[in-house]
Amino acid sequence: MIQEKIAVVTGASRGIGKAIALKLASMDMTVIVNYAGSKEKAENVVKEIEEKGGRAEAVQCDVADFAQCQRMIEDVHKRYGSIDVFVNNAGITRDGLVMVMKEEDFDDVIATNLKGTFNCIRFVSRIMMKQRHGKIINMSSVSGVAGNAGQVNYSAAKAGVIGITKSMARELASRNVNVNAIAPGFIETDMTGALSEKVKEQAVSQIPLGRFGKAEEVAELAGFLAGDKSNYITGQVFHIDGGMVI
């Protein structure tokens, strides 16, 4: 009998995180749907997974809080016995030109998007090292690869996620733990849905494939990195951006 895999997806109540949670559940994994404040949305994701015959649980945790991350990860491990896949997806934006950006807008984005990734890896890596297997998938962005005007905080955080990915891949490889990053471009989510039509048109003009990506397309890549067919891949950053960064 093959033991079922346990996957944790942070920020999984909507958008890319939700799509990844659904994808991993379809791969016969039990999925922990993490959320910070959107309890109802997270429970709806769990319900959708269960209606399709999958297994899931909604768990609250603000990834920017070191102690909360420790409690969540240790509690999940205690209840399920393992954590096989961990997706650091939780993220926020506080866009603005640097000359008018508030200090708290910089700090909040760094705390969630960058330190939140560290907080979770800090605790899940110990579990995966001890069990001698695991897949960690960190969500970066094209903004962290090429930069983006008005997103100095977000770009800095997502560039930092790439640094964490490469360093952790080296630290954990000897214990059969793979660490990779995904760098999405413009993806159809609530976040990009809030953009004006003018901004959307400008963005599409920069994309060789001529369209925004879909959350499900990102989820397919995450599913591949979470599965056994990616066992010889670690420390890599996968662009899924329609050709924005070539």
Side-chain angles (χ1 to χ4, degrees), residues 91-244:
I92 62 171
T93 56
R94 298 285 187 272
D95 295 350
L97 296 176
V98 69
M99 65 188 75
V100 294
M101 183 175 287
K102 296 177 182 178
E103 182 181 13
E104 56 264 35
D105 288 342
F106 186 89
D107 291 346
D108 288 349
V109 170
I110 295 295
T112 296
N113 299 13
L114 181 58
K115 189 170 182 290
T117 298
F118 161 76
N119 289 344
C120 292
I121 288 179
R122 165 67 173 77
F123 296 105
V124 79
S125 61
R126 298 181 68 178
I127 292 169
M128 290 183 172
M129 287 178 72
K130 188 172 183 180
Q131 65 192 20
R132 290 186 173 273
H133 74 269
K135 299 290 182 74
I136 296 174
I137 302 166
N138 299 322
M139 299 304 297
S140 181
S141 167
V142 293
S143 296
V145 177
N148 193 29
Q151 286 194 316
V152 67
N153 48 4
Y154 189 78
S155 297
K158 293 302 187 178
V161 167
I162 291 174
I164 287 177
T165 299
K166 292 180 178 292
S167 295
M168 291 309 303
R170 291 183 180 276
E171 287 190 25
L172 301 179
S174 65
R175 298 301 181 93
N176 197 36
V177 177
N178 304 69
V179 188
N180 291 291
I182 297 175
F186 285 93
I187 307 298
E188 293 176 358
T189 63
D190 292 345
M191 197 177 290
T192 56
L195 299 174
S196 68
E197 288 304 314
K198 183 179 179 181
V199 171
K200 289 179 183 179
E201 289 173 6
Q202 290 175 339
V204 169
S205 71
Q206 302 172 40
I207 303 170
L209 286 180
R211 66 173 177 87
F212 281 13
K214 299 182 183 300
E216 291 77 15
E217 292 174 311
V218 180
E220 286 295 328
L221 177 55
F224 169 72
L225 293 174
D228 293 337
K229 292 182 179 180
S230 64
N231 286 347
Y232 198 55
I233 301 172
T234 198
Q236 302 304 306
V237 182
F238 292 88
H239 298 185
I240 180 162
D241 58 13
M244 278 187 70

